[in-house]
């Protein structure tokens, strides 16, 4: 592949944009890693990309779901053949010239230790029913086209969002588990989690090498990056969100920080935010530093794979590319480059339209309503919220702000230094200026929803900055350093240590609330609450094919993952699902019936009594043929059921829930 029209034959062999003018005009920093040995880490990105393209093709063509596999095989063969030709021509073969180094053993131990620790930590997340239930249902009938509607209810209802239907990661995990003969939910929540956690130190190492750290310092830096994720966020609300719907009188600041996200790395969204974004930043820097077509291809694959993993990649990956380009232009302006050189750099930036094409095309289709947007989104949160409140969600309190400011100044300017350091600093400035600027907050919130604005904070990539602290070793060890330079490095390290001590909130991996079930677990257990697992084990023969009315939080979110053929009367966001097919009354009816059986504390006794007719309507119309009520509400609910049909009776109690069935219900129905 040739990027520049005047690419010479020698440039084609090296992959550079030109052999002479480009190499002379760009003074490549000696600190930028030149080898491609670590690029083998990028191969899973190519696999996810090819799967995403195959999935999208089958989705649009409405072919049977099993054909994704054959399309993937065809696209992967063609894709790897094309990549092989590019790699052979440019010499950018992943893994080429790999040499074992003792630092790699440290990475292996670190990856295994982090992955094994993650297997023992229970962090249930009620979003899984939104992400993975459609996959579980699809696996029941692979000859059916990819499902486009809500799969957890027994009536026609919309999916969570049309863009969510375009994400392919959950379907990939389900298909791999299916062909390997492994429980899909276990493979998704446990095996996928372990693999992502294991790869984390290798990602930090690879990125640090690109920014100029040697092998030992990059490996030690990976430890610092992991330590950052092991430090708990200010609020434990994010870790407890899988167990309780709301926490009264709790400060939500920091409830979706990096540490909390790292506990959910079986989901596509944390993989994008914690793994893909630093890789994107490093690839951008390497592309601008060397101008090689292979890096442009990797950025393109990263963009497609990121969208296949999670929706935030649609705007976060373009943002990281745009801010990186602005940072590099600014860096060259500070070095007083000639006007001709800057124009060449601008033309180089135009090639970044290639990796931007896929996410920008989807955003454009959404904007033009070719991919139809949900009609009713009021349940997803407000249209606007104060800037500080939104940013606090991901950052935390004042001590956390101070810690992050120290990192963003000290690491690039006093530890990494040189062109790499200035690039990182200008990149962070660009993020604050164009993405986290309070004056532009309304524009962002109008396009990505106010409650998701906090995701722009992840562009700062604080874990990667911590990994780059390892570069201080080279600053302190260099004999040619004057005492003033060493003193600056020591001062930077001291400030970082003090900032971390002042913002310490505990360890993120420790249990948060054993009474709620957020505690240690066996590696063989799902990422589900013990109470729901106990109820599923006891009630499974009765509810596996039933229409179950259960408390939405948490049984209504987790039981469908264990029994994909079961239908839930009132799943999470039930109003949203029905409102977006023009049937909001159905959503209201089911919401009120669920509130009646769960005894929602937001409603007093009189209000709950007013929901009784709605509950009776749900039962009498056959929308529900099994009830799971909390033990404390079971007598009240059973009395109402008997007033409808005396045959309703209490069957069993487990996990704090009481199962009630009509008299005609038989075991296993």
């Amino acid at each position: 592949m040739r990027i520049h029209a005047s690419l010479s034959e020698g440039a084609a062999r090296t992959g550079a944009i030109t052999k002479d003018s480009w190499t002379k005009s760009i003074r490549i920093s000696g600190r930028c890693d030149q080898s491609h040995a670590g690029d083998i880490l990028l191969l899973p990105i190519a696999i996810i990309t090819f799967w995403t393209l195959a999935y999208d093709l089958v989705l649009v063509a409405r072919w049977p779901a099993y054909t994704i596999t054959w399309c993937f095989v065809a696209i992967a063969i063609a894709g790897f053949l094309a990549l092989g030709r590019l790699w052979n021509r440019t010499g950018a073969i992943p893994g080429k010239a790999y040499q074992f180094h003792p630092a790699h053993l440290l990475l292996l131990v670190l990856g295994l230790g982090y992955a094994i620790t993650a297997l023992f930590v229970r962090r249930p997340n009620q979003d899984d029913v939104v992400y993975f239930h459609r996959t579980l249902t699809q696996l029941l009938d692979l000859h059916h086209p990819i499902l486009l509607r809500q799969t957890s209810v027994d009536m026609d209802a919309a999916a969570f969002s049309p863009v969510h239907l375009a994400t392919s990661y959950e379907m990939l995990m389900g298909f791999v588990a299916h062909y390997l003969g492994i429980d899909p939910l276990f493979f998704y929540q446990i095996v996928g989690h372990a693999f992502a956690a294991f790869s984390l130190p290798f990602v930090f190492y690879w990125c640090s090498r690109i920014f100029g750290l040697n092998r030992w310092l990059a490996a030690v830096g990976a430890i610092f990056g992991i330590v950052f994720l092991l430090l708990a966020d200010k609020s434990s609300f994010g870790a407890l969100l899988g167990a309780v719907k709301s926490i009264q009188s709790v400060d939500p600041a920091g409830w979706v920080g990096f540490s909390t996200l790292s506990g959910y790395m079986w989901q596509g969204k944390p993989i994008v935010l914690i793994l893909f974004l630093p890789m994107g930043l490093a690839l951008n820097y390497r592309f601008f530093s060397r101008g090689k077509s292979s890096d442009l291809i990797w950025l393109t694959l990263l963009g497609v794979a990121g969208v296949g993993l999670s929706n935030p990649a649609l705007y976060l990956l373009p943002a990281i590319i745009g801010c990186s380009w602005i940072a590099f232009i600014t860096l060259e302006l500070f070095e007083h480059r000639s006007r001709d050189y800057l124009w060449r750099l601008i033309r180089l930036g135009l090639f970044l339209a290639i990796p931007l094409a896929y996410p920008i095309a989807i955003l454009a289709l959404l904007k033009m309503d070719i991919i139809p947007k949900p009609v009713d989104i009021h349940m997803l949160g407000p249209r606007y919220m104060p800037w500080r409140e939104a940013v606090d969600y991901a950052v935390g309190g004042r001590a956390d702000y101070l810690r992050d400011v120290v990192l963003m100044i000290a690491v690039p300017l006093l530890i990494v230094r040189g062109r790499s350091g200035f690039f990182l600093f200008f990149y962070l400035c660009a993020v604050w200026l164009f993405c986290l600027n309070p004056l532009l907050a309304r524009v962002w919130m109008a396009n990505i929803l106010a409650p998701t604005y906090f995701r722009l904070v992840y562009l700062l990539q604080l874990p990667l900055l911590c990994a780059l602290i390892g570069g201080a070793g080279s600053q302190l060890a260099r004999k040619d350093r004057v005492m003033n330079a060493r003193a600056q490095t020591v001062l930077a390290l001291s400030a970082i240590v003090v900032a971390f001590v002042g913002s310490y909130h505990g360890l993120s991996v420790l249990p948060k609330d054993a009474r709620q079930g957020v505690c240690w677990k066996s590696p063989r257990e799902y990422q589900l609450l013990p109470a729901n697992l106990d109820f599923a084990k006891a009630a499974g023969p009765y509810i596996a094919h039933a229409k179950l009315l259960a408390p939405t939080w948490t049984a209504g979110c987790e039981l469908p993952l264990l029994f994909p053929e079961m239908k839930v009367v009132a799943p999470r966001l039930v109003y949203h699902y029905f409102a977006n097919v023009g049937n909001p009354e159905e959503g209201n009816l089911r919401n009120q019936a669920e509130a009646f059986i769960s005894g929602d504390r937001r409603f007093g006794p009189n209000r709950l009594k007013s929901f009784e007719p709605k509950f009776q309507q749900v039962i009498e119309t056959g929308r529900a043929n099994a009830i799971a009520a909390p033990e404390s509400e079971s007598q009240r609910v059973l009395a109402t059921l008997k007033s409808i049909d005396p045959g309703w009776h209490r069957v069993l109690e487990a996990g704090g829930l009481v199962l009630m069935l009509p008299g005609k219900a038989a075991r296993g129905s």
Side-chain angles (χ1 to χ4, degrees):
M1 174 181 179
R2 297 187 177 186
I3 294 182
H4 200 278
S6 60
L7 194 64
S8 65
E9 189 65 23
R13 288 193 299 269
T14 61
I17 290 182
T18 65
K19 185 175 180 179
D20 298 318
S21 61
W22 176 256
T23 304
K24 291 179 180 179
S25 60
I26 289 188
R27 186 175 57 205
I28 297 176
S29 170
R31 301 183 62 183
C32 182
D33 179 34
Q34 299 299 305
S35 74
H36 292 272
D39 286 3
I40 195 170
L41 189 70
L42 300 173
L43 290 180
I45 292 176
I47 294 173
I48 297 175
T49 298
F50 299 146
W51 174 268
T52 299
L53 295 175
Y55 173 87
D56 289 347
L57 174 62
V58 174
L59 175 71
V60 173
R62 306 304 299 142
W63 294 337
Y66 73 87
T67 58
I68 302 175
T69 305
W70 300 110
C71 291
F72 165 71
V73 171
I75 293 174
I77 291 174
F80 277 117
L81 286 175
L83 288 175
R85 292 185 62 185
L86 173 68
W87 293 333
N88 286 326
R89 190 173 61 185
T90 62
I93 302 174
K96 181 182 179 182
Y98 169 77
Q99 293 181 349
F100 173 77
H101 190 274
H104 300 162
L105 280 179
L106 176 60
L107 291 174
L108 181 63
V109 172
L110 185 59
L112 287 173
Y114 190 65
I116 292 172
T117 301
L119 292 178
F120 286 91
V121 179
R122 191 187 302 274
R123 288 292 181 266
N125 191 309
Q126 307 305 320
D127 284 343
D128 279 346
V129 71
V130 178
Y131 300 146
F132 202 61
H133 189 271
R134 184 170 64 97
T135 296
L136 294 173
T137 306
Q138 187 75 67
L139 291 174
L140 298 174
D141 186 5
L142 292 177
H143 291 273
H144 192 282
I146 296 174
L147 299 170
L148 301 178
R149 312 301 279 178
Q150 182 55 229
T151 57
S152 60
V153 294
D154 63 325
M155 294 176 60
D156 180 53
F160 177 67
S161 76
V163 179
H164 170 65
L165 295 176
T167 59
S168 63
Y169 173 70
E170 293 83 12
M171 204 69 75
L172 171 62
M173 300 300 285
F175 271 60
V176 172
H178 173 74
Y179 290 124
L180 292 178
I182 302 174
D183 178 1
L185 183 61
F186 181 85
F187 189 83
Y188 172 63
Q189 289 189 334
I190 309 303
V191 178
H193 190 193
F195 181 80
F198 175 77
S199 65
L200 190 56
F202 293 92
V203 170
F204 287 152
Y205 174 85
W206 179 80
C207 293
S208 298
R209 292 283 289 143
I210 288 179
F211 285 113
L213 275 63
N214 66 35
R215 289 181 173 87
W216 273 118
L217 294 181
V220 172
I223 297 177
F224 295 146
I226 295 293
V227 167
F228 179 85
L229 297 177
L230 291 177
L231 298 178
D233 293 315
K234 180 184 178 183
S235 174
S236 62
F237 182 52
L240 292 173
L241 193 61
V244 290
K245 189 173 184 178
S246 63
I247 302 177
Q248 299 297 328
S249 66
V250 69
D251 182 3
W255 69 277
V256 284
F258 283 99
S259 298
T260 300
L261 282 180
S262 66
Y264 302 119
M265 286 186 64
W266 65 86
Q267 296 178 346
K269 189 180 303 176
I271 294 176
V272 168
L273 301 179
I274 296 180
L275 294 179
F276 274 34
L277 292 188
M279 295 170 77
L281 179 59
L283 279 171
N284 273 285
Y285 177 68
R286 197 169 74 175
F287 173 66
F288 285 119
S289 295
R290 306 189 305 183
K292 287 199 171 185
S293 56
S294 59
D295 292 331
L296 188 68
I297 296 300
W298 283 125
L299 281 170
T300 303
L301 297 177
L302 188 75
V304 178
V307 175
L309 281 162
S310 185
N311 299 338
L314 287 171
Y315 51 89
L316 290 179
L317 289 175
I320 211 168
I321 289 175
C323 290
S324 297
W325 182 65
I326 292 171
F328 209 87
I329 290 285
T330 307
L331 175 64
E332 302 307 327
L333 287 174
F334 268 76
E335 294 194 350
H336 306 292
R337 295 294 188 180
S338 66
R339 182 175 299 179
D340 290 340
Y341 169 83
L342 290 177
W343 275 114
R344 285 196 296 270
L345 192 60
I346 291 174
R347 288 197 296 270
L348 175 67
L350 294 178
F351 286 107
L352 291 174
I354 298 173
L356 290 177
Y358 186 79
I360 294 298
I362 294 179
L363 288 175
L365 293 175
L366 279 170
K367 199 67 178 178
M368 294 184 292
D369 210 30
I370 296 176
I371 298 178
K373 297 184 289 291
V375 178
D376 189 325
I377 60 172
H378 83 274
M379 285 197 68
L380 302 182
R383 295 297 184 94
Y384 177 78
M385 59 191 305
W387 177 87
R388 176 65 185 272
E389 179 184 350
V391 174
D392 281 356
Y393 285 168
V395 176
R398 292 182 179 179
D400 304 283
Y401 275 96
L402 178 60
R403 176 201 66 193
D404 297 345
V405 169
V406 169
L407 281 174
M408 289 185 286
I409 295 175
V411 173
L413 299 181
L414 300 179
I415 294 179
V416 178
R417 304 195 185 198
R419 285 174 59 83
S420 301
F422 279 112
F423 169 80
L424 287 169
F425 181 73
F426 291 139
Y427 164 78
L428 295 171
C429 291
V431 171
W432 281 105
L433 181 61
F434 295 102
C435 301
L436 295 175
N437 188 335
L439 299 178
L440 299 177
R442 285 189 178 272
V443 177
W444 280 101
M445 292 183 185
N447 289 279
I448 66 172
L449 298 179
T452 64
Y453 178 78
F454 66 85
R455 293 173 183 166
L456 297 176
V457 174
Y458 304 127
L459 292 170
L460 299 175
Q461 277 309 299
L462 302 174
L464 177 59
L465 290 180
C466 287
L468 293 171
I469 293 175
S474 62
Q475 302 293 340
L476 297 174
R478 290 180 62 175
K479 296 180 179 179
D480 59 338
R481 284 289 180 188
V482 297
M483 291 302 296
N484 186 40
R486 290 186 180 181
Q488 291 175 0
T489 303
V490 172
L491 179 63
L493 291 174
S494 301
I496 291 171
V497 171
V498 171
F500 271 88
V501 171
S503 62
Y504 180 73
H505 306 295
L507 296 179
S508 63
V509 295
L510 294 180
K512 298 301 179 182
D513 192 338
R515 294 173 300 176
Q516 298 288 345
V518 183
C519 53
W520 301 113
K521 72 175 187 69
S522 164
R524 296 182 178 182
E525 288 187 77
Y526 301 116
Q527 287 287 2
L528 304 175
L529 292 172
N532 291 329
L533 292 172
D534 292 341
F535 181 79
K537 183 177 180 180
Y542 300 97
I543 66 174
H545 300 87
K547 291 184 284 186
L548 179 70
L549 177 59
T552 297
W553 210 275
T554 61
C557 293
E558 295 190 347
L559 293 177
L561 296 173
L562 297 169
F563 307 109
E565 294 184 83
M566 181 188 74
K567 300 301 179 183
V568 184
V569 176
R572 182 183 169 200
L573 300 174
V574 62
Y575 178 85
H576 175 80
Y577 299 147
F578 282 102
N580 283 288
V581 290
N583 192 8
E585 297 81 8
E586 183 68 25
N588 275 328
L589 172 67
R590 292 170 181 248
N591 262 336
Q592 292 172 4
E594 186 274 336
F596 178 79
I597 65 122
S598 64
D600 198 318
R601 295 180 181 179
R602 295 174 300 170
F603 309 113
N606 293 335
R607 185 75 185 278
L608 283 177
K609 187 67 176 177
S610 69
F611 293 155
E612 187 172 355
K614 303 296 184 181
F615 172 70
Q616 292 175 334
Q617 182 179 350
V618 166
I619 300 300
E620 291 170 349
T621 56
R623 288 178 169 87
N625 56 19
I627 307 296
E631 171 63 35
S632 59
E633 308 294 329
S634 60
Q635 292 299 325
R636 176 177 60 83
V637 173
L638 184 59
T640 303
L641 288 170
K642 286 184 174 295
S643 69
I644 301 172
D645 181 353
W648 279 91
H649 61 286
R650 178 184 178 126
V651 177
L652 58 86
E653 189 275 332
L657 295 175
V658 175
L659 177 64
M660 289 168 274
L661 298 174
K664 62 182 179 180
R667 182 178 179 86
S669 65

